[in-house]
Amino acid sequence: MSENINEIYNQIKFIINGGAVKNLTDFLESIHADAIIAEPSDSSSLNVIGAAGIVPGSLTLDDEVSRLFTKSIAKEAFELEYSTESSSWPLVVKIKGTQWEVYILLKKSQDDTESFVKSLKPYAGLITLWETSRKINETEKKLSRLSYMILATKNTLASIFEPMPLQYFASFLADVLQESLFPKSIAILRDEGSYLTVFNGRADSIPKREGVYAAQILPPTPVVTKSDSPVEVVLPVAEGDCRLFCLMQWEELPDDQTMNFLELLGNLAVRAISINNLRAQSRQAEANISAGEFTVLSLSNVLKVLRSAEDKAKFFSLLVDIFMEQCRMKNCILASWNNSRKGYVISQQRRGHIKTEADTTLLPFNEGPVKSVNVKESHYDLSSSTPDSVFRSWGLAGCPTIWRDVFKESSARYIFPICDDNSLVGIIALGAGDEGRTVLDRSQLASLQLIAQFAAYEFRRFD
């Protein structure tokens, strides 16, 4: 009894491991039916899986027989159909299941075709067992890979939305793709605007910025850019100005599961970059608010100090010190309107934070303080103009020679007019000294403009 069971087991094992095709070829040889057994491949061709009485010249045949049959799905476990309309094969028998097809291509027609096809029925049943086993194994492999991809996605979700620099994010993305999909190679390319660079990993060659790499709209959908071995697939990850391309290679075209996982990961990566950008903007906004609050408090204290000055000399000295402290520059010149001399004189001067003797050379203007809409400019940047051009725009003849030298020696970068309505009552010039490159940001410029405006009102106290 045990021997019979063991023999049955071995026969079943033989059939589901491909012996079903061997049994069919043996039967065809026994009746001297020269034939080839083939199944459809992914492309428009047939793969040879067995032969009887014929030595095929290739393991791949052009598919010229599937069109002879209807595309209907088998209603039973398997069904048999035949056709005699092929020009190359006098008789073609099709064994079809619900998800598979096998063709028997015979070199000669049979005397009794109906009877011959019926005789194939038990062998078709064995083919069905074999195909069912193959489908089960294939499904188990897919489920196993799907389970692994789900696990990979879970682990990816735990980290991909963490804040990280772009370089680190690209490295993380490359690791996830490598460990989840096992490509032959992977490189992260970055779009620099007119060309591509390798941002992470290695690439045998950097593609030109054309096709998918130059597209204006880049959905995170994988694109096959090379279909022959090695197969190349590109996954775009684009958000705002950031445009990354994950370039992967495989020996064979990835299946639908792999492509779907790539699309899912691409969507996650885009969302992660977007969230990180929002975080950065939020942090910047908080910093700006904090800086604004500090600036308001600082200006409040500054204005109190200026208002506390009891005389003009003390007021001028405090004003220069405050300007230098606010802009972090070490050179400053203050010129003011002198009513008794009918002109502008340099009242305070600092060089390297040290007070120096102010030059009293007069810039005369007999009509009183200059009145012009031009003097109400918030500030002048001397990197794009000169002190002479600024003074001429106010209607003054220009700087006296000694004033021009003072501006030059102080590496003056900014000029702030101090205006009481449309009247120019004072001028402050700031310089960074030997560096001469210090640039004030928008908040600093706004603060200095406000201080200059307040100072203009305080000038009235000392008229």
Side-chain angles (χ1 to χ4, degrees):
M1 180 69 176
S2 60
E3 292 180 0
N4 292 336
I5 295 297
N6 188 55
E7 183 178 354
I8 292 172
Y9 164 73
N10 288 331
Q11 289 177 351
I12 293 174
K13 181 180 179 182
F14 173 72
I15 289 168
I16 63 177
N17 286 330
V21 178
K22 178 67 169 59
N23 285 337
L24 177 57
T25 56
D26 289 345
F27 169 72
L28 294 172
E29 286 178 348
S30 69
I31 61 173
H32 306 289
D34 298 338
I36 287 178
I37 306 169
E39 63 180 359
S41 66
D42 293 334
S43 58
S44 58
S45 60
L46 300 176
N47 291 333
V48 176
I49 59 175
I54 300 176
V55 178
S58 172
L59 294 179
T60 303
L61 303 175
D62 292 335
D63 184 1
E64 56 182 77
V65 297
S66 61
R67 60 181 177 79
L68 305 175
F69 301 91
T70 61
K71 298 296 183 181
S72 61
I73 298 174
K75 297 178 181 179
E76 305 292 337
F78 66 91
E79 292 179 359
L80 287 164
E81 300 177 357
Y82 69 90
S83 173
T84 57
E85 297 178 4
S86 172
S87 58
S88 302
W89 306 95
L91 178 60
V92 178
V93 179
K94 176 182 178 181
I95 308 172
K96 69 175 182 181
T98 54
Q99 295 181 335
W100 54 269
E101 297 172 353
V102 171
Y103 295 95
I104 305 172
L105 313 176
L106 291 101
K107 271 295 185 182
K108 297 178 182 179
S109 60
Q110 300 297 306
D111 295 336
D112 187 349
T113 303
E114 293 286 346
S115 177
F116 170 73
V117 172
K118 287 181 180 179
S119 67
L120 293 174
K121 188 172 182 179
Y123 300 98
L126 296 181
I127 293 290
T128 301
L129 293 176
W130 172 56
E131 289 286 2
T132 301
S133 176
R134 291 174 68 192
K135 291 298 179 184
I136 290 173
N137 291 338
E138 183 180 341
T139 301
E140 287 180 345
K141 288 180 181 179
K142 287 183 177 180
L143 288 174
S144 178
R145 288 195 62 196
L146 180 60
S147 175
Y148 182 81
M149 288 181 181
I150 291 173
L151 178 63
T153 304
K154 185 192 75 170
N155 294 335
T156 300
L157 284 170
S159 303
I160 196 169
F161 293 107
E162 293 294 327
M164 62 183 85
L166 187 60
Q167 181 70 54
Y168 185 79
F169 180 81
S171 179
F172 170 79
L173 191 60
D175 289 343
V176 170
L177 290 169
Q178 185 66 53
E179 295 173 6
S180 301
L181 304 178
F182 311 106
K184 179 182 177 182
S185 66
I186 180 170
I188 309 294
L189 308 179
R190 185 175 186 176
D191 186 356
E192 301 293 349
S194 57
Y195 59 91
L196 303 173
T197 58
V198 178
F199 197 50
N200 185 274
R202 294 180 60 184
D204 296 335
S205 61
I206 300 177
K208 294 181 180 180
R209 192 179 180 276
E210 57 187 22
V212 64
Y213 299 107
Q216 293 296 318
I217 300 175
L218 280 173
T221 304
V223 178
V224 178
T225 55
K226 182 183 175 186
S227 57
D228 55 334
S229 183
V231 176
E232 283 188 355
V233 177
V234 174
L235 175 65
V237 178
E239 173 62 24
D241 295 333
C242 176
R243 287 164 58 98
L244 303 178
F245 298 92
C246 307
L247 178 61
M248 295 156 283
Q249 290 185 336
W250 284 274
E251 290 297 339
E252 297 179 351
L253 189 69
D255 58 20
D256 290 342
Q257 284 182 317
T258 298
M259 301 297 273
N260 289 336
F261 178 80
L262 279 173
E263 186 167 358
L264 171 62
L265 185 61
N267 276 289
L268 291 176
V270 169
R271 298 297 181 274
I273 292 175
S274 177
I275 289 172
N276 277 329
N277 288 341
L278 289 174
R279 284 197 186 104
Q281 293 172 11
S282 176
R283 287 194 297 268
Q284 184 61 45
E286 290 175 0
N288 290 341
I289 291 172
S290 298
E293 291 174 348
F294 176 80
T295 300
V296 170
L297 180 61
S298 175
L299 286 175
S300 175
N301 294 330
V302 163
L303 301 183
K304 286 180 181 178
V305 170
L306 288 176
R307 189 173 286 278
S308 68
E310 298 177 354
D311 57 64
K312 183 183 289 188
K314 179 66 174 176
F315 176 78
F316 285 166
S317 180
L318 286 173
L319 182 59
V320 169
D321 290 340
I322 287 169
F323 259 79
M324 293 175 65
E325 179 65 24
Q326 288 289 320
C327 68
R328 302 296 181 183
M329 291 190 184
K330 59 183 182 181
N331 296 338
C332 185
I333 302 167
L334 168 63
S336 62
W337 171 258
N338 188 305
N339 196 47
S340 62
R341 296 182 64 184
K342 297 300 179 183
Y344 295 92
V345 295
I346 296 179
S347 305
Q348 292 283 326
Q349 185 173 336
R350 302 281 193 277
R351 186 170 297 168
H353 298 290
I354 299 174
K355 183 176 182 180
T356 61
E357 184 177 351
D359 185 87
T360 57
T361 303
L362 183 70
L363 179 58
F365 196 75
N366 295 328
E367 300 175 10
V370 171
K371 295 190 177 188
S372 169
V373 292
N374 291 335
V375 300
K376 298 194 73 174
E377 288 286 337
S378 61
H379 70 279
Y380 294 86
D381 189 340
L382 298 182
S383 65
S384 57
S385 59
T386 64
D388 276 337
S389 64
V390 172
F391 276 64
R392 281 195 299 270
S393 72
W394 293 339
L396 296 170
C399 299
T401 302
I402 195 166
W403 275 32
R404 191 181 299 115
D405 292 340
V406 170
F407 274 76
K408 183 176 180 181
E409 290 171 3
S410 299
S411 302
R413 173 65 188 267
Y414 294 97
I415 290 179
F416 289 85
I418 302 175
C419 304
D420 186 358
D421 292 329
N422 284 340
S423 298
L424 181 68
V425 296
I427 307 160
I428 287 185
L430 297 168
D434 296 336
E435 300 88 347
R437 294 184 298 272
T438 300
V439 179
L440 301 180
D441 60 32
R442 186 179 301 176
S443 62
Q444 288 175 306
L445 291 171
S447 297
L448 293 174
Q449 181 185 358
L450 183 60
I451 294 171
Q453 184 178 353
F454 180 81
Y457 300 142
E458 290 297 298
F459 269 50
R460 298 175 183 176
R461 291 197 290 135
F462 308 113
D463 289 341

